[in-house]
């Protein structure tokens, strides 16, 4: 699982649970001019994406601290990654439908990378330089709240429980919403322990239900 620490922080590295890989090293894998008929000698220079450092059940935080993989830090990181993946899938469905909020979904995914960077920097082992590079800004929460307010004005009053439905993009957004709630529960424990910024939990707590436009299924109590 990869968490990209924003380039503007000056930390030009990809944070991987268990290792850190230099972006400079990874660039050949991303360039359009990469030759797929390269020689075996060239292939040997491409860095491997596995390190075997986690084979014994431990992984590294950004601060270099080794923790068990079942640690609450990695649990929060994993669920945040799942949330971003769920939003990515929903966004593809929304693009197919020509929805107007796909740019916002992409921005949320980018912010979730910042969330992951902050979670991966537990305060108990972080130096001031670590905290400065991965600090999570409250501005992201404010921006998300503005989006929620804007979309809420376009929705009719909610008077019934809604079943996840309403088309592929709407149903996929419901999956992302559920993943968000799970991520929030995991991050809450990290925030209470004082290991990450409270603003991270606030961001996950703000989640807009954006609809595809099809009729959704109303909950009816079984007879």
């Amino acid at each position: 699982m990869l968490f990209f620490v924003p380039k503007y922080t000056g930390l030009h590295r990809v944070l991987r649970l268990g290792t850190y890989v230099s972006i400079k090293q990874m660039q050949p894998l991303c360039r359009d001019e990469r030759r797929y008929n390269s020689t075996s000698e060239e292939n040997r220079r491409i860095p491997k994406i596995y390190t075997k450092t986690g084979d014994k059940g431990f992984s590294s935080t950004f601060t270099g601290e080794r923790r068990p993989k079942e640690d609450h830090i990695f649990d929060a990181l994993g669920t945040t990654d799942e949330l971003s993946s769920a939003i990515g899938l929903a966004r593809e469905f929304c693009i197919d439908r020509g929805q107007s909020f796909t740019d916002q979904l992409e921005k949320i995914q980018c912010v979730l990378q910042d969330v992951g960077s902050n979670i991966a920097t537990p305060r108990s082992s972080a130096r001031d330089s670590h905290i400065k590079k991965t600090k999570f800004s409250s501005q992201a929460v404010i921006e998300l709240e503005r989006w929620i307010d804007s979309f809420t004005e376009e929705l009719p009053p909610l008077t019934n429980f809604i079943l996840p439905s309403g088309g592929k993009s709407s149903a996929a957004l419901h999956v992302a919403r559920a993943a968000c709630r799970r991520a929030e529960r995991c991050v809450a424990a990290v925030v209470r322990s004082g290991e990450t910024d409270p603003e991270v939990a606030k961001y996950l707590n703000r989640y807009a239900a954006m609809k595809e436009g099809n009729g959704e299924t109303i909950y009816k109590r079984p007879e």
Side-chain angles (χ1 to χ4, degrees):
M1 178 172 52
L2 300 180
F3 282 96
F4 291 82
V5 181
K7 186 174 181 180
Y8 59 77
T9 65
L11 183 65
H12 298 169
R13 291 185 179 275
V14 179
L15 175 61
R16 182 182 178 84
L17 300 186
T19 187
Y20 305 100
V21 182
S22 166
I23 283 181
K24 185 176 180 180
Q25 290 177 311
M26 293 293 288
Q27 280 179 347
L29 300 179
C30 304
R31 292 174 181 167
D32 292 335
E33 66 268 22
R34 176 184 172 186
R35 299 189 303 274
Y36 289 90
N37 61 345
S38 57
T39 65
S40 58
E41 178 65 26
E42 288 175 323
N43 286 334
R44 281 199 293 270
R45 291 200 296 267
I46 297 175
K48 295 180 179 180
I49 63 172
Y50 61 90
T51 64
K52 302 182 181 180
T53 59
D55 289 352
K56 295 183 179 180
F58 286 80
S59 197
S60 295
T61 66
F62 170 54
T63 62
E65 179 186 7
R66 299 287 289 176
R67 293 191 178 205
K69 289 191 175 184
E70 67 273 18
D71 187 88
H72 63 309
I73 292 290
F74 298 126
D75 193 22
L77 279 172
T79 53
T80 302
D81 185 39
E82 290 177 30
L83 170 58
S84 182
S85 298
I87 292 175
L89 177 61
R91 182 174 179 272
E92 293 301 317
F93 285 129
C94 291
I95 289 174
D96 291 342
R97 289 283 299 179
Q99 297 286 13
S100 61
F101 49 77
T102 55
D103 287 345
Q104 284 93 330
L105 293 178
E106 182 179 16
K107 179 65 177 294
I108 290 171
Q109 286 184 283
C110 291
V111 173
L112 288 175
Q113 297 288 3
D114 296 341
V115 167
S117 299
N118 188 271
I119 295 171
T121 312
R123 297 298 180 263
S124 59
S125 60
R127 298 191 298 271
D128 289 342
S129 58
H130 291 136
I131 295 174
K132 182 178 179 181
K133 290 173 180 175
T134 60
K135 182 176 177 59
F136 189 78
S137 172
S138 61
Q139 185 60 40
V141 178
I142 295 172
E143 182 178 40
L144 184 57
E145 288 176 342
R146 285 201 297 263
W147 292 346
I148 293 173
D149 292 341
S150 176
F151 286 121
T152 299
E153 291 176 358
E154 301 174 9
L155 298 175
L158 186 62
T159 58
N160 301 95
F161 288 111
I162 300 295
L163 300 180
S165 57
K168 292 180 180 179
S169 62
S170 180
L173 285 167
H174 275 290
V175 172
R177 173 186 55 78
C180 184
R181 291 307 182 198
R182 183 155 55 88
E184 181 188 3
R185 292 192 296 271
C186 292
V187 170
V190 183
V191 171
R192 279 197 301 272
S193 68
E195 294 280 44
T196 195
D197 288 343
E199 294 297 327
V200 167
K202 288 183 182 180
Y203 189 82
L204 292 175
N205 186 247
R206 311 295 196 268
Y207 192 87
M210 293 176 275
K211 304 181 186 301
E212 181 177 345
N214 294 344
E216 292 185 302
T217 304
I218 303 297
Y219 164 75
K220 297 179 181 178
R221 184 182 295 275
E223 297 295 338

